Amino acid sequence: MSSSEQAKTDVKDVQVIEEGTVRMEYDSREVVFYNKVQVLNRDLSINVIRLFAEKYLAEKSEKLKRKKGNAEIAEPTGIKILDALSASGLRSIRYLKEIPQAEHVFINDLSSDATKQAESNCLLNDVDMSRVTLNNEDATMVMYRHRDPRLQFDVIDLDPYGTAVPFLDGAVQAVKDGGLLCVTCTDMSVLSGGYPEKCFTQYHSMPVRGKYLHELSLRILLHSIDITANKYGRYIVPWISLSVDYYVRVFVRVFDSPQEVKSSMCRRSMIHQCINCPTY
């Protein structure tokens, strides 16, 4: 490659994107992925986590009061969030800036370029770096190391390209009792019945084609999260589940209760679909 060609390659076409209260530098060559279609996803996530934090911290405070009686206790004030697949770090920084209860955010990505970009964007937004952990690693390994209740996260966000299935086993173990899992899957063709064999191997469900494909996709994902949690004496309570554009997004709380897990089978059902008409 000539020196002039190398110079052209090295030139960055960088623009500044503003989203919510945050700015980020974006290289149009997409060295680090930025998905502008999922602004709604991020906006909704901020509002759901903010609401969750209010309820969750109030529950913890009440539990502490019952445990300590009339003794003076320190009120829980914040939550710890894992953005397991952070890319540019935009979502993580918005969590820090726009969720008052966000005490610490663990920003992780497998790509070293993404981690560098996330650090740059933190500095661009004057983030207090004592509230951030930047990490360049496989997300599953991060979550497996945080299975100890003392190390677990209050909120775990999984927003991968494609299916979130490979990350669910680690996630249901690394979130605290009563904590929140935020899960996105973009493989709608699999979830909605386009590839039933693949859906069965990944989600343990056999989809059928029907006009209710969006609801079916959400139920399949919720089922997969729940049966994964059940293996560890845990169960889920869905908060919000939605299908938007080409992806599904669910917010579920995860609780410890071997007794409740025994009732898990009662939350399963079968679909009976006529093959000659739309009736089901």
Side-chain angles (χ1 to χ4, degrees), residues 123-139:
L123 297 174
L124 180 66
N125 287 278
D126 299 319
V127 169
D128 178 359
M129 298 306 286
S130 67
R131 298 172 60 204
V132 169
T133 297
L134 288 160
N135 197 61
N136 172 212
E137 194 178 358
D138 183 336

Side-chain angles (χ1 to χ4, degrees), residues 194-205:
Y195 303 92
E197 297 88 353
K198 188 171 183 179
C199 187
F200 183 78
T201 57
Q202 289 190 327
Y203 295 95
H204 305 288
S205 294

Side-chain angles (χ1 to χ4, degrees), residues 236-255:
I236 68 168
V237 175
W239 258 32
I240 296 177
S241 307
L242 67 154
S243 174
V244 181
D245 297 325
Y246 59 87
Y247 66 89
V248 289
R249 177 76 162 168
V250 300
F251 300 87
V252 304
R253 294 190 68 179
V254 180
F255 294 94

Side-chain angles (χ1 to χ4, degrees), residues 188 211-222 241 243 248 271 280:
M188 282 295 291
K211 292 184 178 180
Y212 44 81
L213 63 95
H214 300 290
E215 179 180 354
L216 179 64
S217 298
L218 290 167
R219 290 183 180 278
I220 288 173
L221 175 56
L222 291 171
S241 307
S243 174
V248 289
I271 297 173
Y280 67 95

